[in-house]
């Protein structure tokens, strides 16, 4: 395949939390894949960092083991693996103390991009920014990559933004939402703004409603301590689903450029109406029929009221979307792992086909994962004799079928986003005001639940969530699409 990848300049990437779960599972295997693809320039280095004591050699072994465990077929490429491991170093640093900072400072080089990935618990983000600055480890061109969660409400997000901005300019801060790095999420913009077909219909004159579903089959195994203080609203809706909503609903930006795109997303979030209590459903997965642990066992709190499922109806207060409901749902332990956006167009105003009483609708489905692709439901004549009977069929374009090996060879979300950091491209990262606006919309929902002592509805694992979720649409004479892989 001919590479159309924009090259990056040599870098030193310091991963704070370089021995942690995220680094081992996603960041380091992803960097190895980029190395193999030839997009990691000569002279670039990766410096793992944490409080525990390791030599460079020990750290290389940790990373080699992580790639063996979490990498794909590339883990068997011994020659490249050895060359990649040779780029790795380790420095012991306490993010919240003063140990190790001089060693780190001594290791940094001039003339290469310095990037610092905050892959540690969120309580350390501010401490890291302050110490990077105080110990002169960062320079004016340095970039910091900040993991989620970015605050747990508006007040804490504001405080974190203020802390980060007191040491770094906004253009140096890369707030990760890994959904923005997914190939098909970017395809949302390509589909909308790269085709003449859809944009004229993209409004309340033609669209009946939009459904956004992010369904997972996994529970909260192993992450209960974090998740139980968060819940689906904070963990998924405030960030990932909000970003999908923005990309599907925003006005066309003047160009594909970081601030132009983020300005438009921000306008969507600010135009969101507060959500009515009756348009909210919270659920929590129950024990399985075969005795599999329920949410409370997974979370380690037998009395937890944290939600593992949310469904809601919201509205965007602007000319384009007035009167068009957006239905969002996400949950764990559902019947299939699938993320999709369905744009459901309005019924035909009048049918010329006598006897055809069925409701025919065009539905554009953008499948984010798995089987990335788009599928447009259209109405055609049922083949064969017997007059004009109409049926609805999908015009299906699965990208892997249409594009062949090129579609399979794309970088995953983390790989793409990390490389964008070195390219200085913030288009796929959240700006501080966006994150705050998202919290400003989410906070009253969570506060309402807390004030009412809301108890989430139990749902059976392997289903589509609590019955109330189906009711949310039934009341509007609509239905969720089936959750299927
Ligand atoms: P882990 O608990 O697995 O790892 C934490 C890492 O931070 C370890 O390397 C630990 O090493 C290091 N660390 C802890 N305290 C300090 C300190 N004071 N100074 C320096 N290093 C320290 O966490 P995860 O990797 O799971 O998560 C990291 C971040 O990524 C979190 O913000 C999380 O919310 C986010 N995230 C994680 C995801 C995941 O799938 N794991 C998904 C999305 C976001 P040591 O103890 O030796 O210091
Ligand atoms: C993370 C959430 O941000 O996204 C997890 O914290 C969730 O709870 C995950 O499982 C889902 O990501 P993906 O890429 O598997 O859809």
């Amino acid at each position: 395949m001919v590479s159309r990848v924009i090259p990056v300049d040599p870098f030193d990437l310091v991963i704070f939390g370089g021995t942690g779960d995220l680094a081992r599972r996603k960041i380091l295997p992803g960097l190895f894949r980029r190395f193999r693809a030839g997009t990691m320039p000569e002279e670039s280095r990766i410096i793992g960092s944490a409080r525990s004591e390791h030599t460079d050699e020990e750290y290389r072994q940790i990373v080699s083991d992580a790639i063996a465990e979490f990498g794909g077929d590339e883990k068997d490429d011994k020659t490249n693996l050895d060359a990649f491991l040779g780029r790795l170093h380790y420095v012991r640093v306490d993010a919240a103390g003063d140990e190790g900072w001089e060693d780190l400072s001594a290791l940094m080089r001039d003339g290469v991009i310095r990037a610092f990935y905050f892959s540690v618990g969120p309580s350390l983000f501010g401490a890291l920014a302050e110490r990077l600055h105080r110990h002169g480890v960062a320079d004016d061109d340095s970039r910091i990559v900040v993991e989620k969660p970015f605050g747990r409400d508006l007040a804490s997000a504001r405080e974190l933004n203020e802390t980060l901005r007191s040491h770094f300019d906004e253009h140096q801060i890369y707030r990760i939402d890994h959904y923005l790095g997914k190939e098909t999420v970017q395809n949302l913009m390509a589909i909308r703004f790269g085709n003449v077909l859809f944009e004229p219909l993209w409004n309340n004159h033609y669209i009946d409603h939009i459904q956004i579903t992010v369904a997972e089959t996994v529970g909260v195994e192993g992450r209960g301590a974090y998740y139980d203080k968060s819940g689906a609203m904070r963990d998924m809706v405030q960030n990932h689903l909000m970003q999908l909503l923005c990309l599907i609903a925003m006005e066309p930006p003047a160009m594909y450029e970081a601030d132009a795109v983020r300005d438009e997303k921000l306008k969507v979030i600010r135009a969101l109406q507060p959500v009515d209590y009756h348009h909210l459903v919270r659920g929590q997965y129950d024990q399985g029929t075969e005795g599999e642990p329920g949410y409370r066992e997974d979370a380690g709190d037998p009395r937890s009221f944290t939600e593992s499922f949310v469904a809601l109806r919201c509205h965007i207060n602007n000319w384009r979307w007035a009167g068009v409901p957006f239905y969002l749902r996400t949950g764990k332990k559902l019947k299939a792992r699938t993320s999709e956006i369905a744009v459901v167009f309005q019924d035909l105003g009048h049918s010329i086909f006598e006897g055809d009483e069925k409701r025919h609708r065009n539905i554009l489905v953008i499948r984010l994962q798995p089987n990335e692709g788009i599928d447009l439901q259209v109405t055609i004549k049922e083949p064969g004799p017997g007059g004009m009977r109409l049926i609805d069929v999908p015009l299906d374009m699965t990208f892997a079928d249409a594009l062949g090996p090129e579609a399979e060879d794309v970088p995953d979300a983390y790989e793409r986003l990390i490389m964008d950091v070195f390219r200085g491209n913030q288009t796929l990262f959240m700006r501080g005001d966006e994150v705050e606006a998202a919290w400003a919309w989410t906070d009253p929902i969570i506060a309402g639940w807390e004030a009412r002592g809301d108890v989430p509805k139990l749902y059976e694992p392997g289903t589509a969530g609590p019955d109330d979720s189906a009711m949310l649409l039934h009341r509007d004479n609509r239905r969720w699409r089936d959750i299927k892989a």
Side-chain angles (χ1 to χ4, degrees):
M1 182 176 37
V2 181
S3 174
R4 295 182 298 270
V5 175
I6 303 167
V8 301
D9 290 330
F11 58 79
D12 276 349
L13 170 66
V14 179
I15 307 175
F16 293 109
T19 57
D21 181 70
L22 182 68
R24 293 185 320 108
R25 191 183 291 275
K26 294 282 184 191
I27 302 172
L28 289 155
L31 283 163
F32 176 47
R33 280 193 290 274
R34 288 300 90 208
F35 177 83
R36 281 188 80 231
T39 39
M40 184 169 154
E42 289 287 324
E43 304 154 44
S44 297
R45 298 184 308 178
I46 297 163
I47 300 160
S49 178
R51 287 167 307 179
S52 24
E53 195 80 64
H54 297 292
T55 61
D56 284 353
E57 271 320 307
E58 284 165 355
Y59 186 59
R60 288 172 185 149
Q61 189 57 51
I62 291 172
V63 176
S64 173
D65 293 347
I67 290 170
E69 189 173 353
F70 300 113
D73 294 343
E74 69 276 4
K75 61 186 173 223
D76 300 325
D77 178 356
K78 193 81 184 74
T79 311
N80 270 315
L81 182 59
D82 287 344
F84 174 73
L85 295 174
R87 306 285 187 89
L88 298 177
H89 301 268
Y90 182 83
V91 190
R92 183 175 172 270
V93 174
D94 182 1
D98 289 318
E99 289 159 61
W101 288 96
E102 277 179 24
D103 296 339
L104 181 60
S105 182
L107 202 61
M108 302 311 291
R109 299 173 295 171
D110 290 330
V112 298
I113 296 166
R114 298 180 185 190
F116 303 94
Y117 200 125
F118 293 9
S119 184
V120 291
S123 61
L124 295 171
F125 294 166
L128 275 177
E130 191 268 323
R131 282 166 178 73
L132 281 170
H133 192 243
R134 174 149 56 92
H135 294 282
V137 181
D139 61 20
D140 289 346
D141 190 38
S142 292
R143 292 122 213 224
I144 57 170
V145 184
V146 186
E147 258 303 331
K148 71 176 286 196
F150 199 92
R152 56 175 282 108
D153 53 19
L154 176 58
S156 53
R158 260 193 195 139
E159 197 182 315
L160 180 53
N161 270 332
E162 272 166 30
T163 307
L164 298 182
R165 287 191 196 122
S166 62
H167 306 295
F168 293 91
D169 287 338
E170 181 63 38
H171 75 267
Q172 298 177 283
I173 306 172
Y174 290 72
R175 296 174 193 79
I176 289 249
D177 183 316
H178 79 281
Y179 264 60
L180 287 175
K182 288 184 190 273
E183 181 75 1
T184 316
V185 174
Q186 292 160 72
N187 238 322
L188 272 177
M189 285 185 274
I191 289 164
R192 283 195 61 193
F193 306 127
N195 293 284
V196 73
L197 214 57
F198 301 116
E199 200 51 27
L201 308 179
W202 216 257
N203 56 54
N204 59 359
H205 297 295
Y206 295 98
I207 292 178
D208 178 74
H209 72 278
I210 291 180
Q211 301 185 8
I212 301 180
T213 298
V214 178
E216 298 184 88
T217 49
V218 291
V220 295
E221 308 93 0
R223 292 178 70 220
Y226 149 76
Y227 193 91
D228 203 44
K229 293 197 191 70
S230 169
M233 185 54 103
R234 288 191 173 98
D235 184 52
M236 297 294 288
V237 179
Q238 187 271 348
N239 40 82
H240 305 326
L241 276 85
M242 177 67 77
Q243 291 296 322
L244 299 180
L245 174 69
C246 286
L247 295 178
I248 204 84
M250 71 184 182
E251 296 301 313
M255 58 190 133
Y256 187 67
E257 182 270 330
D259 277 331
V261 171
R262 298 188 300 177
D263 285 347
E264 295 307 333
K265 289 198 292 166
L266 179 63
K267 286 183 207 162
V268 173
I269 307 175
R270 289 196 171 148
L272 275 170
Q273 259 178 32
V275 182
D276 188 302
Y277 172 59
H278 301 290
H279 298 152
L280 282 165
V281 179
R282 279 175 95 220
Q284 188 185 73
Y285 63 83
D286 203 352
Q287 290 178 336
T289 43
E290 311 279 303
E292 305 92 328
Y295 174 82
R296 291 176 169 189
E297 284 95 333
D298 280 348
D301 177 357
R303 294 191 318 190
S304 172
F305 286 151
T306 301
E307 78 283 355
S308 59
F309 178 97
V310 170
L312 61 86
R313 178 179 122 177
C314 62
H315 286 269
I316 299 170
N317 270 338
N318 63 20
W319 272 42
R320 187 190 283 267
W321 296 116
V324 178
F326 287 74
Y327 298 97
L328 276 50
R329 69 178 158 168
T330 182
K332 296 203 183 281
K333 287 259 172 133
L334 297 180
K335 63 197 273 198
R337 177 175 185 254
T338 181
S339 299
E340 64 164 43
I341 300 175
V343 180
V344 182
F345 290 89
Q346 292 177 7
D347 291 348
L348 277 182
H350 167 75
S351 174
I352 64 167
F353 304 106
E354 203 179 321
D356 179 52
E357 274 147 26
K358 194 167 169 278
R359 181 193 246 194
H360 297 288
R361 290 188 145 174
N362 297 124
I363 303 177
L364 175 68
V365 181
I366 300 152
R367 296 191 307 265
L368 306 175
Q369 59 189 29
N371 308 325
E372 291 91 338
I374 57 174
D375 157 347
L376 179 63
Q377 181 177 292
V378 293
T379 303
I380 60 165
K381 177 188 171 298
E382 192 176 325
M388 284 295 281
R389 290 188 312 275
L390 302 186
I391 51 165
D392 298 325
V393 292
L395 276 179
D396 182 347
M397 190 176 80
T398 298
F399 295 148
D401 297 342
L403 304 174
E406 286 208 32
E408 285 158 24
D409 198 27
V410 294
D412 88 354
Y414 276 94
E415 294 170 49
R416 176 191 314 273
L417 293 174
I418 295 170
M419 288 297 150
D420 276 358
V421 172
F422 306 130
R423 293 188 187 102
N425 184 352
Q426 290 187 305
T427 311
L428 301 176
F429 294 85
M430 296 181 295
R431 209 167 53 191
D433 49 5
E434 259 185 271
V435 180
E436 290 183 18
W439 280 121
W441 179 76
T442 317
D443 276 1
I445 296 175
I446 297 170
W449 285 333
E450 284 171 0
R452 280 188 297 274
D454 191 86
V455 178
K457 298 281 184 321
L458 289 178
Y459 61 92
E460 205 181 302
T463 63
D467 294 344
D468 287 20
S469 166
M471 283 306 297
L472 179 74
L473 272 77
H474 281 177
R475 285 201 306 260
D476 298 343
N477 200 20
R478 298 185 176 104
R479 296 198 307 174
W480 286 112
R481 286 169 50 77
D482 193 16
I483 294 179
K484 54 177 187 221

